[in-house]
Amino acid sequence: MKFFGKKSLRHLFSHDIGIDLGTANTIVYLRGRGIVINEPSVVAVNQKTGQVVAIGTEARAMLGRTPSHILAIKPLVDGVISDFEITEEMISYLLGRATSGSNKILSPRVVVGVPSGITNVEIRAVRDATRNAGAGEVHIVEEPMAAAIGMRLPIHEPVGNMVIDIGGGTSDIAIISLGGVVRSKNLRVAGDKFNSDIIAYVRNQFKVLLGEKTAELVKMSIGSVLPTHAPLEMTVKGRDLVNGLPKEIVITDTDIRDALSQSVESLVETVREVLESTPPEILSDIMHRGVYLSGGGALVKGLRELIESEINVPVHVDADPLTAVARGTGIILEDLESFRDVLIENESELPPKK
Ligand code: ADP
Ligand code: MG
């Protein structure tokens, strides 16, 4: 006993696991190993038996292609838990897979990242789902806080840190100082909305209906919110809305810029609102230190530069924005005691959300 601190002793018998329960991707961090699972947040369920038949990449491949009795669902739509039982099944599967082949005897200690717009009832649901799925201890952290920790920002210091996490369903904007969120806002404008903007634009301008995956591919390949050096274009297939038959069209980066302009504007507007309500000392820290972008949406070409010029503050994109939250849960696991203050241990601590 003398040779082990309490921390390291527990480590011998139990797993510590961090989960980023994203609307688009679920990432699992295993202490001592790093990221062990990175899969789309999709679950396929057999409606006849109620059983989960596939999860992640395999389930996503089924989206839009299932026979009538199999349902492929995204359990976390717009950052909220739309289906409690399925979420529980998913967490249970993740815990099982992350710890498979291990002989550790205690149930895992789990840190779960949740979107900042989530209600107390939903936090309680995540906590219960994780506990039912076999976790020994459950700790909840808000995703922008986890992203800030994952990006190694000095969140405990008396200095303002600003994070914009642009995920699939929601974008979280948060200002953090002394281990707490000073100001935050979240909006349902993120990667999924960009995809639906592209679908709506192509339907109006070309009278062609694109699939969701095609729209996402277009966004990633030629989407840019600022003019590019050389024009970009891409040939895509969709359904001609006039005669119902397949049709090929050529889309350019200018089309995508038009398609995304309103969403990008509302994102920038919300960032401005957060800055406008931030106390002056913290604002001065942020002007000096800059704003940090995480989440897959941060990879949209030109977005960093555009936000920078709109708010007149330096903007940085994390080197691996998709894993910032998961890395943050991992850093918390390494030293739970030092991060007690950032964890939501009791739902009643949270102010009611609008
Ligand atoms: P969540 O945390 O909600 O699961 P993620 O942070 O995993 O979301 O980001 C997923 C979103 O990022 C998706 O909408 C996806 O289309 C988008 N994305 C990922 N890579 C890129 C890229 N290279 N360019 C533009 N968007 C991207
Ligand atoms: Mg996320």
Side-chain angles (χ1 to χ4, degrees):
M1 274 310 226
K2 206 167 143 208
F3 302 105
F4 302 109
K6 202 174 151 211
K7 248 191 247 169
S8 53
L9 193 62
R10 195 177 193 293
H11 185 37
L12 289 177
F13 299 109
S14 158
H15 287 289
D16 290 339
I17 291 169
I19 302 179
D20 169 11
L21 218 46
T23 54
N25 298 297
T26 297
I27 305 184
V28 179
Y29 184 104
L30 183 61
R31 185 178 177 198
R33 288 273 309 280
I35 289 169
V36 290
I37 300 176
N38 187 348
E39 303 242 8
S41 307
V42 183
V43 180
V45 187
N46 182 330
Q47 287 191 293
K48 284 182 190 159
T49 62
Q51 267 175 338
V52 170
V53 292
I55 279 179
T57 311
E58 210 187 319
R60 187 177 58 180
M62 298 180 181
L63 274 177
R65 296 198 178 105
T66 51
S68 59
H69 69 286
I70 292 182
L71 196 62
I73 39 183
K74 292 177 156 188
L76 301 142
V77 181
D78 293 331
V80 300
I81 298 224
S82 62
D83 190 320
F84 181 79
E85 272 166 41
I86 299 298
T87 306
E88 187 178 313
E89 290 259 15
M90 188 164 90
I91 295 174
S92 163
Y93 164 87
L94 296 170
L95 294 186
R97 208 175 109 189
T99 60
S100 71
S102 133
N103 52 6
K104 298 200 176 177
I105 52 173
L106 297 178
S107 11
R109 199 149 60 160
V110 183
V111 172
V112 189
V114 298
S116 71
I118 191 168
T119 62
N120 288 355
V121 174
E122 287 162 343
I123 291 176
R124 163 78 46 199
V126 172
R127 194 186 293 286
D128 291 348
T130 312
R131 206 171 273 141
N132 293 348
E137 268 177 48
V138 184
H139 304 279
I140 308 276
V141 59
E142 292 193 82
E143 279 166 4
M145 175 66 84
I149 294 168
M151 292 189 280
R152 304 229 173 242
L153 302 185
I155 56 125
H156 280 125
E157 285 168 31
V159 44
N161 297 282
M162 183 164 185
V163 174
I164 307 176
D165 182 85
I166 308 168
T170 55
S171 293
D172 280 326
I173 303 159
I175 290 180
I176 296 164
S177 173
L178 288 168
V181 174
V182 179
R183 290 287 183 277
S184 75
K185 265 186 192 270
N186 76 314
L187 68 163
R188 292 185 174 194
V189 171
D192 294 346
K193 178 67 167 69
F194 297 156
N195 299 348
S196 62
D197 287 341
I198 292 172
I199 293 172
Y201 180 91
V202 170
R203 190 177 50 220
N204 292 334
Q205 299 295 314
F206 296 86
K207 309 291 174 236
V208 165
L209 183 66
L210 294 186
E212 166 104 36
K213 279 187 214 158
T214 305
E216 181 167 50
L217 191 64
V218 169
K219 172 183 75 178
M220 292 182 181
S221 314
I222 62 163
S224 170
V225 296
L226 287 178
T228 49
H229 291 300
L232 301 171
E233 59 173 54
M234 188 172 171
T235 306
V236 293
K237 292 185 191 70
R239 185 208 309 277
D240 186 334
L241 287 170
V242 179
N243 61 17
L245 296 173
K247 185 174 181 183
E248 236 179 37
I249 52 166
V250 177
I251 312 183
T252 66
D253 62 298
T254 312
D255 290 322
I256 307 307
R257 207 150 36 249
D258 283 355
L260 302 186
S261 67
Q262 275 198 355
S263 289
V264 170
E265 202 172 294
S266 52
L267 177 64
V268 169
E269 186 50 38
T270 312
V271 172
R272 269 207 206 95
E273 284 167 20
V274 172
L275 285 170
E276 279 162 14
S277 69
T278 299
E281 294 300 341
I282 291 186
L283 196 58
S284 132
D285 294 339
I286 292 166
M287 288 179 70
H288 178 66
R289 301 173 35 79
V291 173
Y292 290 81
L293 297 190
S294 61
L299 290 170
V300 169
K301 286 186 264 304
L303 194 56
R304 184 197 72 76
E305 294 86 343
L306 183 120
I307 298 175
E308 190 168 88
S309 71
E310 290 286 332
I311 62 175
N312 211 10
V313 174
V315 178
H316 316 282
V317 179
D318 186 63
D320 186 9
L322 286 148
T323 62
V325 169
R327 277 154 31 218
T329 63
I331 293 169
I332 294 171
L333 287 169
E334 298 295 336
D335 192 358
L336 267 176
E337 284 316 309
S338 308
F339 287 103
R340 284 272 167 216
D341 53 344
V342 310
L343 299 171
I344 302 166
E345 297 297 7
N346 181 347
E347 277 73 81
S348 60
E349 279 170 23
L350 270 187
K353 293 272 158 64
K354 283 163 285 177

